[in-house]
Amino acid sequence: MNPRAYLVPAALAVWATALAGLLWAWWAAPAAGLVAALLGGLVLRPWRPAAVAVVVAAPVAALWIGAQAHGAVHHPLREAARAGASATVHFELDNRPHGLRTSGFGSRAGGVDLVLVRGTLDDGGRIVVLASAARWRDLLPGQRATARGTLALPRGGELTVAVLRVRGPPQNVTEAPVWQRVAEDLRAGLRRASTALDPEPAGLLPALVVGDTSALPPRVVEEFRTAGLAHVLAVSGANLAILCGAVLLLLRLLRIGPRGCAAGAMVALVGFVVLAGPEPSVLRAAVMGAVALLALVLGRERSALPALAAAVVVLVLSDPELATDPGFGLSVVATAALVLLAPRWAAAMKDRGVPVGFAEALAVPVAANLATAPLVAGLSGQVSLVAVLANLLVAPVVAPATVLGVLATLLAPAHEPAARLVVEVAGPAASWLITVGRHAAAVPGAAVAWPGGWVGGVSLAGVLVLGYAITRLRRVRALAVAVVVGAVVVIVPLNVVSPGWPVPGWSVVACDVGQGDAVVLATAERDRAVLVDTGPDPVPVLSCLRRLGVRRIPLLVLSHLHADHVGGLAAVMAERGVGAVAVGPSRQPEWAWEEVVERAREAGVRVVELGAGQRLSWPGLDLDVLGPRADPVGETNTAVNDASLVLRATTAAGRVLLTGDIELAGQADLLGGHVDLRADVLKVPHHGSRYSSPAFLAAVRPRIALVSVGAGNRYGHPSGVLVDALTSRGALVLRTDRDGDTAVLAGPDGPRVARRGGSHADNGQGENDEERRLDPVALRLVAARRQPGRGVGAVAAGLHRRAVATGRTASRLHLLRLRGPARRRTRHRRQGDGGRRDPPGAGALGGHRLPPGRRRPVRRRPHHGAGGVARRALQPGEGGTSLAADAHRLAGGHRTGRAARPAGAVRVPPDRLAAFVPDLAMRTRRTETVVVAPDLAAVPRSRRPAPGRPPNPSTGIPPPG
């Protein structure tokens, strides 16, 4: 055994003691520490230094960590948090407020709305504060503040006594220490100087230098995670090693002695810790950076291992929460791999004739990635296959970019033009990092799905150990190499060259974009398709388009302007050739409309308004605009939803009805206008919300129902009541949260469905939903049978849990063939009814009362008379009122609300429409109204010409007929 590793057992004992106390119970910490001391003293008795280290360190950790865990569990605020009480607390900030980024939904834009602040109470207890970003983001570590809010229990694995949810601003805020103010001025100067670059490199440089990702687009973060470059965005030992190495090199060039060099490196180390902030991750990186500096820069491997073990002991004792911090584990494992594996592998490659520089450059990322792969797989549920190559490509530019970024940070307060010049010099390196991350993440199969949690991590570790053991056996080494090469030769062409997705002949694809909408409609040209909505985030929709091979989008339709439908607009216009952007009549919310106009103007793309009665055509695709048939009234979410564009696409697979987020009033408007709503495929309105009219579903009569919904959403989508209503009518219900990208294609006996495969995470359901799962065998049967399902209300997420990447796999495709209409009316069974046939008229759509246990009150007052009737239709137990007459009245066109807008509109010559959208190969066949957005943007809707008035000569907007 290595004589320098005598501190390693002590470090493992201290770490295990902290894990036991934090993850199990407070008394487990002293028990684990004492057991570790006893076993270590007996087992390591022949190795006296290691035995002494364990016997000393383990009891100290047991007493120290056990006392802290006991104090956290029995703190007075913990008792108040169990009761959800309100409290006023006085605390000192331990770190800078950390923004919590959320995807937009409805009228709420995506971004950082909340910040997480960690603080220390006067009695030493730790508290976490969740507060408004606008009011708390400017606070600094070391400041004291007072806050009042509602207490909640913290998550496990921490010494936090309570979580305080605060709505108001901080009170009684004291001044920050001078060094914190200086550090914040330096960071702000770097952010200002970085604006000399394009937005993405400008956001990357502060992240690369000080770990500030506030200005970094979420798309870049996701791409770096997929490519295995996420460590570049966090302050780690590599940052400190680069900085200290540059300082040492400079001091040696100046012929400074060893003591002077050591002093200069220490000053740089302490200054960088202050600059990045005294957060646990930064302190950990400081110690690990010193270890990496000793091991890699000074080449003293034999002294690095005890230093690493000592660092673990000191850090875990000073902050026991680091034991459960994934970043701490990754940092320790990666540093151990660099210390123990990388030098040996580099030497072995040099002995076989590999050039020295290439051997060292290859050994470092391979060792670090293989060592951390089990932890990454357990945390993220995926394994990056391009991480080694991506790290090799970025390694030459990370050090120059970091050094130049630090130099710009120091120059910014004194002379900002000089700092901007240095930033421009670092710009190509930052752009190269983004380019490598983007192209690496775009490689088919760049990240493969792997079981998450302890099972996934341990299984991958076992696979790596088994593979290493096999390669050590000479007799089976050749066989193992042959098997690996054969697997690569067979699997790579199947999954990369011909991955099986997209399925040939697809007509419609509902993209898995989370809690949002994005539907792709194919044209007769292979790389051209119409896109309806862009989802809440840019990464999922771009990934879907890339997998489908769509490069040109003649028309990008935004059904309405809610954040979960327009979030990916800018990225799609930047990455794909877009001919025009089409919108409906609503201009709410204002921030979304302004963003659409601005992004379209920047991309040189026109925005047109579509109206009911218009038809657009491409080879192989016809698009009819069915609604909205009434002008939008109000600015509420419901009013905006009901103003969604309703489109009927005629494709090779049949009719497809795209409904946006229309709710009951919008559906009643369509029914009252006697519109032909029949379709083979229905994009279910509003992500499967319960607010859908039975009369509307009866008018559509879909064979396939596509629900675009996000896994684990907190909105209760899709509603089990709606799913029951669809399946009872013979529709096959498919959900993007479980089926992934879902394609509809033509078949000899009707449409077929191909699923790419989605995440199988728990999905937040409505409170009345039953357990539902998509059974591949049952899906091949007639869709009239009720589908088993997923649990109710699984929406309890951690208040500040870390985001983990979810992997998607394209290897499992299920082709589903739907039988003809004659076979659709099968028996309708309920779960647990023993095969009993329901009586006529029973079920979600019948006119009978539901059992009292399934009745739920309506909490939303209808804004529309017909909508109120339809709302009750999907909650049939209320008051015992029969719904048959109401549904018949709605289906017959007896309106209770405002009159529909006349269907007629001014005809637009085909040449004029083609001039508006030069990339469109479409023909106008009926009455259309087209409005150009750059002109429309300057004209509020209240000032547009009324019916019968001549067009405005300054805008050219034709009046409606």
Side-chain angles (χ1 to χ4, degrees):
M1 185 173 292
N2 190 338
R4 298 286 183 175
Y6 65 93
L7 285 180
V8 172
L12 294 178
V14 172
W15 202 340
T17 301
L19 287 174
L22 294 178
L23 298 180
W24 194 358
W26 70 266
W27 52 264
L34 296 178
V35 170
L38 180 62
L39 293 178
L42 295 176
V43 175
L44 300 174
R45 188 174 183 180
W47 193 17
R48 187 176 182 84
V52 172
V54 171
V55 170
V56 172
V60 172
L63 296 177
W64 177 247
I65 297 175
Q68 293 189 60
H70 178 271
V73 171
H74 295 88
H75 196 277
L77 285 183
R78 178 68 65 90
E79 299 297 329
R82 290 191 179 95
S86 299
T88 301
V89 298
H90 310 274
F91 63 96
E92 180 180 335
L93 274 74
D94 294 336
N95 62 349
R96 300 199 310 272
H98 175 67
L100 302 178
R101 184 178 295 274
T102 59
S103 298
F105 187 82
S107 59
R108 189 191 69 223
V112 177
D113 295 330
L114 297 175
V115 292
L116 185 147
V117 182
R118 296 184 181 272
T120 302
L121 301 172
D122 295 336
D123 58 3
R126 302 184 181 186
I127 191 170
V128 169
V129 178
L130 288 175
S132 169
R135 299 178 176 182
W136 286 73
R137 72 171 73 221
D138 296 329
L139 297 183
L140 296 174
Q143 289 185 286
R144 298 187 60 83
T146 302
R148 179 170 181 80
T150 304
L151 295 172
L153 289 174
R155 63 179 183 180
E158 294 183 352
L159 294 176
T160 302
V161 299
V163 175
L164 185 69
R165 300 175 179 176
V166 179
R167 292 187 177 182
Q171 304 292 334
N172 304 324
V173 180
T174 63
E175 191 175 21
V178 61
W179 59 85
Q180 291 295 343
R181 297 199 301 271
V182 172
E184 179 58 26
D185 291 340
L186 292 174
R187 291 189 294 266
L190 176 60
R191 289 192 293 267
R192 291 193 304 269
S194 298
T195 57
L197 305 176
D198 292 335
E200 289 183 342
L204 177 61
L205 194 59
L208 185 65
V209 177
V210 294
D212 183 2
T213 60
S214 59
L216 195 62
R219 177 188 178 187
V220 177
V221 176
E222 182 64 27
E223 289 170 345
F224 273 49
R225 183 181 294 116
T226 302
L229 299 174
H231 61 89
V232 175
L233 305 179
V235 177
S236 63
N239 300 72
L240 291 168
I242 291 170
L243 179 61
C244 293
V247 172
L248 286 173
L249 179 60
L250 178 61
L251 294 178
R252 286 180 180 178
L253 292 176
L254 297 176
R255 298 183 178 180
I256 304 298
R259 294 183 179 180
C261 291
M266 183 57 65
V267 170
L269 186 66
V270 174
F272 189 82
V273 170
V274 174
L275 177 64
E279 301 181 12
S281 61
V282 177
L283 297 176
R284 179 196 69 242
V287 178
M288 298 306 170
V291 173
L293 181 65
L294 291 173
L296 301 179
V297 176
L298 303 180
R300 301 182 62 183
E301 174 195 347
R302 304 184 69 183
S303 64
L305 189 58
L308 175 60
V312 172
V313 173
V314 172
L315 287 174
V316 174
L317 288 178
S318 62
D319 187 3
E321 288 186 357
L322 287 176
T324 59
D325 188 343
F328 179 77
L330 290 171
S331 201
V332 171
V333 173
T335 305
L338 297 179
V339 169
L340 298 175
L341 300 180
R344 290 180 171 85
W345 291 359
M349 285 187 286
K350 286 186 289 186
D351 294 340
R352 289 170 172 78
V354 179
V356 177
F358 182 77
E360 294 178 349
L362 182 61
V364 169
V366 170
N369 281 281
L370 288 180
T372 58
L375 286 175
V376 173
L379 293 171
S380 64
Q382 66 179 14
V383 177
S384 177
L385 301 182
V386 297
V388 173
L389 179 59
N391 279 275
L392 276 175
L393 293 176
V394 303
V397 302
V398 171
T402 302
V403 173
L404 290 173
V406 173
L407 181 59
T409 304
L410 298 177
L411 288 175
H415 194 265
E416 187 168 327
R420 295 175 69 89
L421 178 61
V422 174
V423 165
E424 291 179 355
V425 175
S431 300
W432 174 250
L433 286 167
I434 293 176
T435 301
V436 172
R438 181 152 300 164
H439 285 81
V443 173
V448 297
W450 190 268
W454 289 101
V455 175
V458 172
S459 61
L460 184 57
V463 170
L464 294 175
V465 171
L466 179 61
Y468 177 76
I470 290 176
T471 58
R472 301 295 294 178
L473 301 176
R474 295 184 178 180
R475 294 183 179 181
V476 298
R477 185 181 302 173
L479 178 61
V481 172
V483 170
V484 172
V485 172
V488 171
V489 170
V490 174
I491 295 176
V492 170
L494 290 178
N495 289 276
V496 177
V497 179
S498 179
W501 186 268
V503 61
W506 66 272
S507 296
V508 183
V509 171
C511 297
D512 181 11
V513 294
Q515 187 67 10
D517 274 3
V519 179
V520 185
L521 303 172
T523 66
E525 298 183 56
R526 184 175 182 180
D527 63 344
R528 177 179 291 192
V530 173
L531 177 62
V532 181
D533 292 325
T534 62
D537 296 306
V539 175
V541 65
L542 287 176
S543 300
C544 181
L545 294 174
R546 182 175 61 248
R547 289 190 294 265
L548 295 175
V550 175
R551 297 183 178 180
R552 293 180 293 169
I553 301 174
L555 185 65
L556 195 162
V557 181
L558 302 175
S559 62
H560 59 299
L561 301 181
H562 275 167
D564 51 322
H565 295 253
V566 303
L569 174 64
V572 171
M573 288 195 296
E575 297 291 330
R576 296 294 183 269
V578 177
V581 176
V583 297
S586 175
R587 299 293 177 265
Q588 298 297 329
E590 292 185 5
W591 65 264
W593 170 242
E594 293 173 357
E595 183 175 346
V596 169
V597 173
E598 181 181 357
R599 301 304 181 196
R601 184 177 288 117
E602 291 176 354
V605 175
R606 285 189 176 271
V607 179
V608 297
E609 179 181 343
L610 300 181
Q614 186 173 0
R615 163 168 284 199
L616 309 176
S617 296
W618 296 265
L621 175 65
D622 291 333
L623 209 59
D624 293 292
V625 184
L626 306 183
R629 305 189 64 83
D631 290 327
V633 177
E635 301 178 1
T636 63
N637 284 341
T638 299
V640 176
N641 288 339
D642 284 325
S644 298
L645 284 172
V646 179
L647 308 174
R648 183 180 61 212
T650 303
T651 70
R655 281 184 169 186
V656 181
L657 186 64
L658 305 174
T659 56
D661 281 356
I662 59 170
E663 298 188 20
L664 299 164
Q667 297 167 19
D669 287 336
L670 293 173
L671 293 171
H674 303 287
V675 179
D676 183 8
L677 298 175
R678 291 175 299 173
D680 299 289
V681 181
L682 169 66
K683 201 287 296 180
V684 177
H686 204 182
H687 320 293
S689 164
R690 67 174 65 244
Y691 302 113
S692 288
S693 163
F696 176 78
L697 301 180
V700 180
R701 290 182 292 175
R703 302 180 65 185
I704 301 172
L706 302 177
V707 184
S708 184
V709 64
N713 72 87
R714 65 178 183 272
Y715 305 100
H717 296 162
S719 166
V721 178
L722 177 63
V723 173
D724 289 343
L726 289 166
T727 54
S728 65
R729 293 183 176 274
L732 173 64
V733 180
L734 298 175
R735 302 166 43 170
T736 57
D737 60 340
R738 297 179 183 171
D739 299 300
D741 297 345
T742 305
V744 180
L745 57 154
D749 300 324
R752 294 186 301 165
V753 174
R755 304 177 299 168
R756 183 174 176 268
S759 62
H760 300 280
D762 290 343
N763 301 283
Q765 303 292 316
E767 294 179 346
N768 287 341
D769 293 0
E770 300 174 351
E771 179 82 358
R772 302 184 178 280
R773 295 172 195 250
L774 291 175
D775 185 357
V777 177
L779 288 177
R780 289 180 173 85
L781 303 179
V782 180
R785 193 179 298 273
R786 192 186 293 258
Q787 300 173 4
R790 192 68 191 158
V792 303
V795 297
L799 289 174
H800 49 280
R801 65 183 180 185
R802 297 172 178 83
V804 293
T806 56
R808 306 290 190 194
T809 176
S811 59
R812 291 167 32 206
L813 294 178
H814 303 278
L815 288 179
L816 313 177
R817 178 177 174 180
L818 304 182
R819 299 183 181 178
R823 297 294 304 276
R824 291 169 62 184
R825 292 173 180 160
T826 61
R827 289 194 307 170
H828 178 63
R829 300 172 187 255
R830 287 184 186 148
Q831 289 183 339
D833 64 358
R836 174 179 56 84
R837 185 188 298 269
D838 290 339
L845 298 178
H848 299 273
R849 301 183 183 184
L850 286 182
R854 295 193 62 184
R855 302 178 188 174
R856 293 185 58 80
V858 178
R859 297 183 179 180
R860 295 180 60 188
R861 179 171 297 175
H863 297 283
H864 193 285
V869 176
R871 177 177 287 110
R872 295 197 305 271
L874 284 183
Q875 304 182 48
E878 300 164 29
T881 305
S882 176
L883 302 171
D886 293 335
H888 175 74
R889 180 165 56 89
L890 284 177
H894 300 284
R895 304 291 308 285
T896 60
R898 61 185 182 274
R901 187 172 53 188
V906 174
R907 290 182 178 272
V908 178
D911 56 346
R912 180 181 177 186
L913 188 57
F916 286 156
V917 189
D919 191 41
L920 288 176
M922 58 186 184
R923 303 176 299 277
T924 58
R925 297 183 180 175
R926 286 204 300 270
T927 55
E928 301 94 357
T929 301
V930 179
V931 181
V932 184
D935 298 328
L936 184 63
V939 183
R941 293 194 57 81
S942 60
R943 297 174 57 187
R944 297 183 195 169
R949 297 182 182 178
N952 189 330
S954 63
T955 62
I957 302 176

